[in-house]
Amino acid sequence: MKTRKAGAYSTKIAHTAECAFQRAIIQGKTSLIKGEEIKWIDIELPVYGDKSRGKCIDLIGKDSKGNYVLCELKFRKKRDSGGPKEATEQLKEYYSYIQKNADDLNSMNLRHENANEKKIDWKKVAAQTTRLFVVANSFYWDTWLILSKKKEKLDDKDVEYYSVNIDRYVFEQQKVNSTTYTPKMPKEGMIWEEKH
């Protein structure tokens, strides 16, 4: 396996969609899911490949029992294609890379310099107790239901699906006319709603 250590991720960015969503979540440090607090550790970690933005996990955290959580994030501002089925497949593919390469990831101590924890135990991340989340803004879910004509089901029993109820233009409103800014999660975005 070829991969490389991650430096520090940038907190000041120009993006106002998925990258901003990701940064706002990690900056907020926690999210509340069905009354359970999830603590966020790191973002955009290259679990396979020799490029820092190759095959990357969008977000990694821990639940209240200490189990790791891996997230595939989606953020939509306009109607376009691509639904949770593709996101689920991508997340499971990255999880399989972690399961195959956990020893290598541990030996590298793969994490960003500014991660919220000093070490990620990749052997534990590879365990069956790790939770897999597909997380998106509410507009993503609304448009997916319209585009799929309600035919596609969220029926993968290994994956949990969550909606974050924030305005699709919230990060544009935060950025205003600045070249770069630090995205912040609005208060209503701290509580995630399960999708079925």
mmCIF file of all heavy atoms in Angstrom, residues 33-34 36 63 69-70 88 91 130-135 141 156-162 194-195:
data_model
loop_
_atom_site.group_PDB
_atom_site.id
_atom_site.type_symbol
_atom_site.label_atom_id
_atom_site.label_comp_id
_atom_site.label_asym_id
_atom_site.label_seq_id
_atom_site.Cartn_x
_atom_site.Cartn_y
_atom_site.Cartn_z
ATOM 1 N N ILE A 33 -26.773 12.842 17.951
ATOM 2 C CA ILE A 33 -27.501 11.908 17.099
ATOM 3 C C ILE A 33 -28.333 11.001 17.984
ATOM 4 O O ILE A 33 -27.790 10.230 18.779
ATOM 5 C CB ILE A 33 -26.518 11.084 16.247
ATOM 6 C CG1 ILE A 33 -25.705 12.016 15.350
ATOM 7 C CG2 ILE A 33 -27.242 10.030 15.443
ATOM 8 C CD1 ILE A 33 -24.577 11.348 14.619
ATOM 9 N N LYS A 34 -29.654 11.105 17.873
ATOM 10 C CA LYS A 34 -30.580 10.314 18.706
ATOM 11 C C LYS A 34 -30.202 10.404 20.186
ATOM 12 O O LYS A 34 -30.172 9.416 20.904
ATOM 13 C CB LYS A 34 -30.607 8.857 18.236
ATOM 14 C CG LYS A 34 -31.132 8.695 16.816
ATOM 15 C CD LYS A 34 -31.367 7.243 16.437
ATOM 16 C CE LYS A 34 -30.077 6.532 16.193
ATOM 17 N NZ LYS A 34 -30.239 5.173 15.636
ATOM 18 N N GLU A 36 -27.328 10.913 21.456
ATOM 19 C CA GLU A 36 -25.953 10.474 21.713
ATOM 20 C C GLU A 36 -24.966 11.475 21.116
ATOM 21 O O GLU A 36 -25.115 11.895 19.972
ATOM 22 C CB GLU A 36 -25.731 9.097 21.072
ATOM 23 C CG GLU A 36 -24.319 8.586 21.212
ATOM 24 C CD GLU A 36 -24.086 7.273 20.474
ATOM 25 O OE1 GLU A 36 -24.870 6.941 19.563
ATOM 26 O OE2 GLU A 36 -23.108 6.589 20.807
ATOM 27 N N ASP A 63 -18.186 7.389 18.935
ATOM 28 C CA ASP A 63 -19.468 7.502 19.618
ATOM 29 C C ASP A 63 -19.269 7.461 21.136
ATOM 30 O O ASP A 63 -18.136 7.381 21.624
ATOM 31 C CB ASP A 63 -20.465 6.449 19.115
ATOM 32 C CG ASP A 63 -20.112 5.009 19.490
ATOM 33 O OD1 ASP A 63 -19.238 4.787 20.367
ATOM 34 O OD2 ASP A 63 -20.723 4.089 18.910
ATOM 35 N N VAL A 69 -16.503 6.015 14.198
ATOM 36 C CA VAL A 69 -17.551 6.367 13.246
ATOM 37 C C VAL A 69 -16.862 6.884 11.990
ATOM 38 O O VAL A 69 -15.998 7.770 12.074
ATOM 39 C CB VAL A 69 -18.477 7.470 13.824
ATOM 40 C CG1 VAL A 69 -19.475 7.941 12.788
ATOM 41 C CG2 VAL A 69 -19.172 6.990 15.081
ATOM 42 N N LEU A 70 -17.219 6.341 10.834
ATOM 43 C CA LEU A 70 -16.711 6.827 9.550
ATOM 44 C C LEU A 70 -17.871 7.433 8.780
ATOM 45 O O LEU A 70 -18.947 6.837 8.689
ATOM 46 C CB LEU A 70 -16.113 5.676 8.735
ATOM 47 C CG LEU A 70 -14.948 4.912 9.364
ATOM 48 C CD1 LEU A 70 -14.531 3.756 8.461
ATOM 49 C CD2 LEU A 70 -13.772 5.842 9.617
ATOM 50 N N THR A 88 -22.974 5.263 -0.281
ATOM 51 C CA THR A 88 -22.847 4.049 0.532
ATOM 52 C C THR A 88 -21.746 3.147 -0.017
ATOM 53 O O THR A 88 -20.898 2.641 0.738
ATOM 54 C CB THR A 88 -24.193 3.293 0.555
ATOM 55 O OG1 THR A 88 -25.163 4.126 1.184
ATOM 56 C CG2 THR A 88 -24.089 1.975 1.309
ATOM 57 N N LEU A 91 -18.298 4.675 0.716
ATOM 58 C CA LEU A 91 -17.950 4.532 2.132
ATOM 59 C C LEU A 91 -17.516 3.104 2.461
ATOM 60 O O LEU A 91 -16.509 2.889 3.138
ATOM 61 C CB LEU A 91 -19.163 4.944 2.987
ATOM 62 C CG LEU A 91 -19.012 4.834 4.497
ATOM 63 C CD1 LEU A 91 -17.885 5.715 5.013
ATOM 64 C CD2 LEU A 91 -20.328 5.199 5.179
ATOM 65 N N THR A 130 -17.197 -0.575 14.274
ATOM 66 C CA THR A 130 -17.176 0.744 13.646
ATOM 67 C C THR A 130 -18.511 1.009 12.960
ATOM 68 O O THR A 130 -19.073 0.135 12.301
ATOM 69 C CB THR A 130 -16.009 0.841 12.646
ATOM 70 O OG1 THR A 130 -14.792 0.886 13.397
ATOM 71 C CG2 THR A 130 -16.093 2.092 11.792
ATOM 72 N N ARG A 131 -19.000 2.221 13.139
ATOM 73 C CA ARG A 131 -20.281 2.624 12.549
ATOM 74 C C ARG A 131 -20.028 3.410 11.265
ATOM 75 O O ARG A 131 -19.109 4.233 11.213
ATOM 76 C CB ARG A 131 -21.066 3.465 13.556
ATOM 77 C CG ARG A 131 -21.422 2.657 14.802
ATOM 78 C CD ARG A 131 -21.919 3.537 15.929
ATOM 79 N NE ARG A 131 -23.220 4.114 15.638
ATOM 80 C CZ ARG A 131 -23.849 4.966 16.458
ATOM 81 N NH1 ARG A 131 -23.268 5.341 17.601
ATOM 82 N NH2 ARG A 131 -25.030 5.450 16.144
ATOM 83 N N LEU A 132 -20.846 3.144 10.262
ATOM 84 C CA LEU A 132 -20.722 3.804 8.966
ATOM 85 C C LEU A 132 -21.917 4.728 8.765
ATOM 86 O O LEU A 132 -23.064 4.286 8.836
ATOM 87 C CB LEU A 132 -20.664 2.768 7.838
ATOM 88 C CG LEU A 132 -19.572 1.694 7.955
ATOM 89 C CD1 LEU A 132 -19.679 0.712 6.796
ATOM 90 C CD2 LEU A 132 -18.189 2.319 8.003
ATOM 91 N N PHE A 133 -21.633 6.026 8.513
ATOM 92 C CA PHE A 133 -22.680 7.030 8.335
ATOM 93 C C PHE A 133 -22.583 7.650 6.940
ATOM 94 O O PHE A 133 -21.491 8.003 6.492
ATOM 95 C CB PHE A 133 -22.503 8.201 9.316
ATOM 96 C CG PHE A 133 -22.751 7.919 10.764
ATOM 97 C CD1 PHE A 133 -23.071 6.665 11.250
ATOM 98 C CD2 PHE A 133 -22.651 8.969 11.679
ATOM 99 C CE1 PHE A 133 -23.287 6.446 12.605
ATOM 100 C CE2 PHE A 133 -22.862 8.766 13.036
ATOM 101 C CZ PHE A 133 -23.189 7.503 13.495
ATOM 102 N N VAL A 134 -23.730 7.821 6.291
ATOM 103 C CA VAL A 134 -23.840 8.728 5.144
ATOM 104 C C VAL A 134 -24.623 9.922 5.664
ATOM 105 O O VAL A 134 -25.744 9.781 6.160
ATOM 106 C CB VAL A 134 -24.554 8.070 3.946
ATOM 107 C CG1 VAL A 134 -24.847 9.112 2.864
ATOM 108 C CG2 VAL A 134 -23.699 6.941 3.370
ATOM 109 N N VAL A 135 -24.009 11.098 5.574
ATOM 110 C CA VAL A 135 -24.572 12.320 6.171
ATOM 111 C C VAL A 135 -24.663 13.395 5.097
ATOM 112 O O VAL A 135 -23.702 13.622 4.347
ATOM 113 C CB VAL A 135 -23.676 12.817 7.331
ATOM 114 C CG1 VAL A 135 -24.258 14.064 7.974
ATOM 115 C CG2 VAL A 135 -23.478 11.716 8.361
ATOM 116 N N TRP A 141 -31.264 15.428 0.700
ATOM 117 C CA TRP A 141 -32.255 14.365 0.864
ATOM 118 C C TRP A 141 -33.555 14.706 0.156
ATOM 119 O O TRP A 141 -34.174 13.835 -0.472
ATOM 120 C CB TRP A 141 -32.510 14.101 2.346
ATOM 121 C CG TRP A 141 -31.326 13.528 3.055
ATOM 122 C CD1 TRP A 141 -30.552 14.139 4.006
ATOM 123 C CD2 TRP A 141 -30.745 12.225 2.864
ATOM 124 N NE1 TRP A 141 -29.545 13.311 4.421
ATOM 125 C CE2 TRP A 141 -29.636 12.129 3.735
ATOM 126 C CE3 TRP A 141 -31.058 11.139 2.049
ATOM 127 C CZ2 TRP A 141 -28.849 10.990 3.814
ATOM 128 C CZ3 TRP A 141 -30.270 9.993 2.123
ATOM 129 C CH2 TRP A 141 -29.184 9.928 2.994
ATOM 130 N N ASP A 156 -29.461 -0.424 3.348
ATOM 131 C CA ASP A 156 -28.216 -1.097 3.699
ATOM 132 C C ASP A 156 -28.125 -1.150 5.223
ATOM 133 O O ASP A 156 -27.988 -0.119 5.885
ATOM 134 C CB ASP A 156 -27.013 -0.360 3.105
ATOM 135 C CG ASP A 156 -25.735 -1.179 3.222
ATOM 136 O OD1 ASP A 156 -25.420 -1.627 4.346
ATOM 137 O OD2 ASP A 156 -25.061 -1.372 2.202
ATOM 138 N N LYS A 157 -28.209 -2.345 5.770
ATOM 139 C CA LYS A 157 -28.259 -2.495 7.231
ATOM 140 C C LYS A 157 -26.928 -2.182 7.922
ATOM 141 O O LYS A 157 -26.878 -2.025 9.134
ATOM 142 C CB LYS A 157 -28.717 -3.907 7.578
ATOM 143 C CG LYS A 157 -30.143 -4.165 7.097
ATOM 144 C CD LYS A 157 -30.703 -5.452 7.602
ATOM 145 C CE LYS A 157 -32.106 -5.770 7.143
ATOM 146 N NZ LYS A 157 -32.767 -4.895 6.241
ATOM 147 N N ASP A 158 -25.851 -2.064 7.151
ATOM 148 C CA ASP A 158 -24.535 -1.751 7.726
ATOM 149 C C ASP A 158 -24.278 -0.247 7.818
ATOM 150 O O ASP A 158 -23.253 0.170 8.344
ATOM 151 C CB ASP A 158 -23.415 -2.379 6.881
ATOM 152 C CG ASP A 158 -23.488 -3.892 6.878
ATOM 153 O OD1 ASP A 158 -23.891 -4.469 7.917
ATOM 154 O OD2 ASP A 158 -23.155 -4.500 5.843
ATOM 155 N N VAL A 159 -25.191 0.552 7.272
ATOM 156 C CA VAL A 159 -24.969 1.995 7.175
ATOM 157 C C VAL A 159 -26.121 2.749 7.820
ATOM 158 O O VAL A 159 -27.287 2.367 7.687
ATOM 159 C CB VAL A 159 -24.806 2.416 5.691
ATOM 160 C CG1 VAL A 159 -24.640 3.927 5.551
ATOM 161 C CG2 VAL A 159 -23.618 1.692 5.061
ATOM 162 N N GLU A 160 -25.773 3.828 8.529
ATOM 163 C CA GLU A 160 -26.768 4.730 9.112
ATOM 164 C C GLU A 160 -26.805 5.997 8.258
ATOM 165 O O GLU A 160 -25.763 6.482 7.809
ATOM 166 C CB GLU A 160 -26.390 5.085 10.556
ATOM 167 C CG GLU A 160 -26.314 3.868 11.477
ATOM 168 C CD GLU A 160 -25.756 4.211 12.846
ATOM 169 O OE1 GLU A 160 -26.260 5.177 13.478
ATOM 170 O OE2 GLU A 160 -24.814 3.529 13.287
ATOM 171 N N TYR A 161 -28.010 6.541 8.050
ATOM 172 C CA TYR A 161 -28.186 7.708 7.194
ATOM 173 C C TYR A 161 -28.744 8.862 8.021
ATOM 174 O O TYR A 161 -29.714 8.685 8.759
ATOM 175 C CB TYR A 161 -29.151 7.373 6.051
ATOM 176 C CG TYR A 161 -28.658 6.237 5.183
ATOM 177 C CD1 TYR A 161 -28.983 4.912 5.468
ATOM 178 C CD2 TYR A 161 -27.843 6.484 4.079
ATOM 179 C CE1 TYR A 161 -28.524 3.874 4.685
ATOM 180 C CE2 TYR A 161 -27.375 5.448 3.287
ATOM 181 C CZ TYR A 161 -27.727 4.138 3.597
ATOM 182 O OH TYR A 161 -27.259 3.103 2.821
ATOM 183 N N TYR A 162 -28.115 10.053 7.873
ATOM 184 C CA TYR A 162 -28.524 11.203 8.680
ATOM 185 C C TYR A 162 -28.639 12.468 7.834
ATOM 186 O O TYR A 162 -27.899 12.675 6.869
ATOM 187 C CB TYR A 162 -27.522 11.446 9.822
ATOM 188 C CG TYR A 162 -27.533 10.329 10.823
ATOM 189 C CD1 TYR A 162 -26.581 9.323 10.790
ATOM 190 C CD2 TYR A 162 -28.540 10.267 11.794
ATOM 191 C CE1 TYR A 162 -26.605 8.275 11.698
ATOM 192 C CE2 TYR A 162 -28.569 9.219 12.706
ATOM 193 C CZ TYR A 162 -27.601 8.232 12.651
ATOM 194 O OH TYR A 162 -27.635 7.192 13.545
ATOM 195 N N GLU A 194 -32.128 11.098 11.840
ATOM 196 C CA GLU A 194 -31.945 9.838 11.108
ATOM 197 C C GLU A 194 -32.903 9.756 9.935
ATOM 198 O O GLU A 194 -34.070 10.143 10.043
ATOM 199 C CB GLU A 194 -32.154 8.649 12.043
ATOM 200 C CG GLU A 194 -31.777 7.330 11.404
ATOM 201 C CD GLU A 194 -31.774 6.169 12.388
ATOM 202 O OE1 GLU A 194 -32.401 6.277 13.455
ATOM 203 O OE2 GLU A 194 -31.139 5.147 12.052
ATOM 204 N N LYS A 195 -32.409 9.258 8.808
ATOM 205 C CA LYS A 195 -33.233 9.030 7.620
ATOM 206 C C LYS A 195 -33.536 7.532 7.522
ATOM 207 O O LYS A 195 -32.677 6.707 7.824
ATOM 208 C CB LYS A 195 -32.505 9.469 6.349
ATOM 209 C CG LYS A 195 -32.141 10.939 6.328
ATOM 210 C CD LYS A 195 -33.341 11.856 6.369
ATOM 211 C CE LYS A 195 -34.135 11.857 5.087
ATOM 212 N NZ LYS A 195 -35.269 12.810 5.125
#
